[in-house]
Structure formats: structure tokens, C-alpha cells
Amino acid sequence: MADLPPDLFDSDWAREAERRALRDHRRATRVRKARRLARPSRGALLSTLALSLAVVLMWAGFAFLDGTAPSASAPSASTASTSTAPLRKNAEIDPTRPFADTPAAMWREGAGGIEPPPAIPVGKYSAEQVGQFMERVRQLIITARLDRTVLETGDPAPVLALLAPMMVEKLADRLAPGHERKAWYVSERIAPGFRLLPVQPRVIGSMTPTINAEDELVVRTNYLVAYAFEAPEPQKLDGPMDIVALVRQEIEFRWIDDPKYAADAMGVWFGEVDGFSYAVGCAQGNLGFLAPAYTNPPGTNSATPSARRSEEYFDPNIPMPNEDGCP
């Protein structure tokens, strides 16, 4: 391989870096560890299907994790319109309107919040090709983060069906039962024993098509999804963020179509990923599952970190937060 050192994960340093990444990922207010899946080089296609990752610790504004910016020919993602509504932390919970008194109340419902920008030519790719790839990415996000069957059963099969076969092979170890934390970016999983309320999650964010250093077409996405959970006695809880869990993910999707690669490498690959959760259950989060904050022991500061105003965590235009509210 020319783009990544061989046997990267055979080193003690790499194993420790990944261990730290997995430990930190599903904390209640910080899951900021990034990974880059190996480009399917000809050498890799002829040798091993083992996963190679580079753990990245860089963050600055919304610069993407590989340090590149959208090319001049790429359409910029429109800045997501954000709510200025305050978060009333101690407001009465209404299970029929769970997002009331949170900034997510003004976001679009479900798939309506995932809207690609107008497609124009990007690099060697036509507007039609760019538009088709953005639609594929849109379907991936909807399936991975909004499909109730995927969320509630934890079965990622519908998501994997939209990825390149070799990408799926590389994810196999991480998708094995008991390894949920390792595949947090593949699909959202509701913790066993918990149920979402019968309302659509609220969504805000953007996607930007561009060309990466390998001249591949990529779509960089930045979406926040607010999920509303059932609670046995909502009247005894402190406020809406006890049942509303917020998940933000910045994920790069790569389109592999170079004929020099094997047929099963063609299609959609994950690139770099980054994530953050706010007002979630710490114990389940550390296992790789999503649960509401009311499950946290008294005194856990998962929904009220002091680094910034609560409303800022709902803003996709701020840099990815790096706070950690779980013990």
C-alpha cells in the first residue's frame, strides 16, 4: 500500500490509540475520535482485507479531518439554518410534543431534514453523477439513523446493502455482536429495553460534495438528529432533555469507481468520521447503544456541561464539541 504504512495496527501505539478511541467514543457529551478506512489500493485487493485505520485527533472549526477543503468547483453546502429558541431545561415534558422547549422543535421531521444541495459538476464528475451519489448518501443516512427497524433491532443489513461489498467485508469484525462501540458510525442502535416515542426524530445539517486527495468523489456530511424516548413516569423527570437524546455525526462518504480496482471494491466507502452525543445515557453509550439521559445516576452532568451554553450543542455550525460529561 502506498497511502498507509503496512501493519499499522500491529504496533502497540496503534492498539492503545484505538483503545482510547473506543473508550471515549460513546461518552454522553463527547465522542470525538476519528477514523479513516484504508483506500482499496491494488496491493490491498491482492493481499489482505484487514481493516486499516488512522486515528485522527485534529479539530479546528469545520475544517475536515484530512485537512482538505472543498474544491473550487464543488458546491458549498448551505449553512444549516439553526433555531434561536432557548432550551427550557425544567419545562414540563409532553410526550405528544417531546421536542417542545428545545431548539430541535424548529428542525425538520425525519428524512425531510436531510436535503442535498443542488448538484453541479465536481472535478471529473458530471452534475448528474454528483446528484446520484448525494441521493445514495441521503438514503444511507436515512437508513442508518432514521429507519425504525435498524434503530430498534440493531441489524445493520439494510445499511450494508448500500455499501461496496469490500467495505462490508472490512467492517465484519466491528459488526460482530459485542463490538457495537467499534461500529458506532455504521448505524444508530437503540439500547435494549428502550423505545422511541411514536414521533419522527428531528434533523438538521448539511452535505457537501467535493474531490479528495485521491481524486475520488466524496460527500462530507454533518447532521444532528434528536431522538425522543418513552419514559415510564415523565412527570417525575426534570425536563425535555431527560428524554431527548442528541447525536451529531460528521461522516465522509467516498465513491469508488476506478476500473483498476476489483469489482467488489466499487461503490460507497466510509471515509473519516467524527461524532458527539449530548444528553444520553452514559452506561448504554459506553456499550455502543443510544439511551436517554434519565437513566444516568443522580448528579451525572451529561446534559449540562459547562463549556458552552446548552443551545450551542444544537448548532451544526459550531466546531465539533470536545467536552465529556460522563464519569
Side-chain angles (χ1 to χ4, degrees), residues 125 133 136 216-218 253-257 267-269:
Y125 295 91
F133 185 38
R136 175 70 70 89
E216 300 165 352
L217 177 63
V218 301
F253 296 95
R254 305 157 61 204
W255 178 249
I256 303 299
D257 63 349
V268 182
W269 285 64

Side-chain angles (χ1 to χ4, degrees), residues 111 114-117 119 127-145 157-168 186 207 209 217-221 223 251-257 263-270:
I114 306 171
E115 185 176 358
E128 181 180 8
Q129 290 173 309
V130 172
Q132 290 174 346
F133 185 38
M134 287 195 294
E135 179 57 28
R136 175 70 70 89
V137 169
R138 179 175 180 271
Q139 290 303 319
L140 261 168
I141 297 172
I142 291 171
T143 304
R145 306 188 65 187
V159 180
L160 302 181
L162 299 173
L163 300 173
M166 187 174 288
M167 177 78 267
V168 176
V186 177
M207 64 174 68
L217 177 63
V218 301
V219 170
R220 288 163 175 156
T221 66
Y223 283 97
I251 297 181
E252 176 187 85
F253 296 95
R254 305 157 61 204
W255 178 249
I256 303 299
D257 63 349
D264 59 357
M266 303 300 180
V268 182
W269 285 64
F270 285 106

